[in-house]
Amino acid sequence: MLGKDQSPTSGQCAATSATTARHGRSSATATFNTSLNPYATVEPTTTSDKPAKPTTSRRTNVTNDTTVYATTNVINAASVATSITGAAHDGHPATISTADRNNEADQPSSTRNGEPEPRGVNTATRPAPATSAATAPHIRRVTSRPYQVPMNSDCTKDHDRPNTNQKLTRPNAPRTTRQTPPKHPIGRLKDVVKAILWDIDDTLFDYAQADTDAATRHLAAEGLPHDTAALTHWRTLTHTHYTRFTNGELTFTEQRRERVRAYLGPTTPDAQADAWFDRYLTHFEQAWTAFPDADPTLTLLTHPLRHAILSNSTTPLQERKLTTIGLRHHFEFLACSHEIGHAKPAPEAFHHACATLDLPPHDVAYIGDLLHTDAHAAHNAGLHAIWIDRTPTPPPPLPPHIHRITTLTALPTLLPTLHA
């Protein structure tokens, strides 16, 4: 047993080291000579898997041989390495961590060269006893060397690291800015109208061009004149008898027969007139095509608004026509005069379509190519009236409730202003 201020002898240290190695306790004993390196740093290591209880350490300095008896709480080798912030190198004194300084300062008063040292004296910069790998192979020596951060490592600052995401541009290249496109007023459409009723012929479908091509081929096939004058006469007959149909004087089928009798004679039987007109329809269907602005406009307006058809025609014909030109999927239903019993410009035709939509007339807009049959009739029925005028002739003076456009692409901009 030792006294409080007594130092162990070399034999006692060796016995303690053997006992420690045999029982696996977390203490270490080493004997070494200071002549190897007077500034080396010694740290004990442990081979125990169990944490050891912290104990005190004693240090005795002798002139030639120095014996260190120390027990410390060492968790693993990594904690030993991190506890030493610097070691003696090239004759410079070692630097001990703050935790080691505090532990040493809190120890009881020890002796140095036979003289007691006052409690609390900082001995961190005292030259440490020497050691060597031969005498203490379990001691890990850490030298103090300046650490240089490698270039392009994770420790470098952002402004020191090359920016690989930056695009390389020419020195004199003009600088462009990304512009955000203006928001389209389409988002406010449902505050104005909730549905649109559409006419078909000369609104979505290019009826005039298809009729001209079909009439030219049909008249030529029938052995009739098909020059410009003949085509003008054909269009005049169409307009005259179709107006009688819209006025309620004729049915849809009867207006067709009257057009044929203008060529074959007033006594032409119905069956012969129907066969003659069917041959015309064969050429007519081959010329069906939609206006280029029809599908893009309907696609743009499909989600915010509902769409339906109101046409002075028959449902089978218009169904086949819309399917052929690729527009049928945009519409919920078709309301045609031959089936509903009312033709435009009668208000009952518009009201029937609004009732099918389950919407009041002021929530519905109607667009068609005829000024009186479509636009004025829609306004008189309580709908928002839009007239699409594809003709090059100047329009007549219009009342403020008739909204005129020359292309369907203007419709999304017009609709939010209908209540203004």
Side-chain angles (χ1 to χ4, degrees), residues 14-25 47:
T16 305
S17 176
T19 304
T20 302
R22 181 170 60 252
H23 294 285
R25 301 182 63 181
T47 58

Side-chain angles (χ1 to χ4, degrees), residues 39-319:
Y39 299 104
T41 301
V42 179
E43 286 291 342
T45 60
T46 180
T47 58
S48 174
D49 296 333
K50 297 181 180 180
K53 297 181 180 180
T55 60
T56 60
S57 63
R58 297 175 184 270
R59 185 191 300 263
T60 304
N61 296 326
V62 190
T63 304
N64 294 323
D65 296 333
T66 303
T67 302
V68 177
Y69 173 72
T71 57
T72 57
N73 183 12
V74 181
I75 304 302
N76 48 44
S79 64
V80 175
T82 56
S83 66
I84 304 175
T85 59
H89 182 65
D90 296 334
H92 296 283
T95 303
I96 303 177
S97 62
T98 305
D100 294 337
R101 294 177 184 176
N102 296 335
N103 291 336
E104 188 176 23
D106 294 338
Q107 302 304 323
S109 299
S110 60
T111 60
R112 183 178 183 181
N113 297 328
E115 296 179 3
E117 292 181 349
R119 181 184 298 272
V121 174
N122 187 0
T123 60
T125 59
R126 181 192 307 165
T131 186
S132 66
T135 57
H138 60 282
I139 301 301
R140 180 179 179 182
R141 181 180 179 185
V142 181
T143 60
S144 175
R145 296 178 183 270
Y147 178 73
Q148 296 180 355
V149 178
M151 291 300 295
N152 299 332
S153 67
D154 293 336
C155 299
T156 57
K157 294 183 180 179
D158 292 338
H159 61 269
D160 294 333
R161 184 183 304 169
N163 187 1
T164 57
N165 295 326
Q166 183 178 3
K167 294 183 180 179
L168 298 179
T169 58
R170 293 178 298 173
N172 298 327
R175 190 173 183 180
T176 59
T177 57
R178 186 176 181 181
Q179 297 181 355
T180 303
K183 292 184 178 180
H184 203 280
I186 196 171
R188 298 183 287 116
L189 289 184
K190 298 193 78 171
D191 298 334
V192 181
V193 295
K194 295 180 173 57
I196 299 178
L197 287 173
W198 296 78
D199 178 47
I200 296 181
D201 296 341
D202 282 332
T203 300
L204 300 171
F205 161 68
D206 193 352
Y207 176 87
Q209 186 62 46
D211 179 64
T212 300
D213 295 343
T216 301
R217 290 194 292 266
H218 175 62
L219 294 175
E222 296 293 328
L224 299 173
H226 53 279
D227 55 3
T228 303
L231 294 177
T232 301
H233 179 63
W234 170 264
R235 284 191 285 266
T236 300
L237 291 174
T238 301
H239 176 72
T240 299
H241 296 290
Y242 189 82
T243 301
R244 294 177 62 190
F245 159 68
T246 58
N247 292 336
E249 300 177 17
L250 300 173
T251 64
F252 186 78
T253 303
E254 289 174 349
Q255 61 90 18
R256 285 181 172 182
R257 291 170 180 168
E258 291 299 318
R259 291 158 63 185
V260 173
R261 291 186 176 107
Y263 285 94
L264 303 182
T267 60
T268 303
D270 293 345
Q272 184 179 354
D274 292 342
W276 192 92
F277 200 87
D278 288 341
R279 292 192 294 271
Y280 158 77
L281 289 179
T282 302
H283 298 286
F284 182 55
E285 293 184 9
Q286 294 174 356
W288 284 354
T289 182
F291 284 110
D293 56 0
D295 186 68
T297 303
L298 285 167
T299 301
L300 183 63
L301 299 176
T302 293
H303 292 293
L305 300 176
R306 300 169 61 190
H307 301 272
I309 291 293
L310 178 59
S311 174
N312 284 348
S313 183
T314 62
T315 301
L317 174 64
Q318 300 297 60
E319 284 273 7

Side-chain angles (χ1 to χ4, degrees), residues 365-381:
Y366 183 84
I367 178 170
D369 68 296
L370 299 178
L371 178 59
H372 297 283
T373 305
D374 293 323
H376 284 290
H379 172 72
N380 294 335

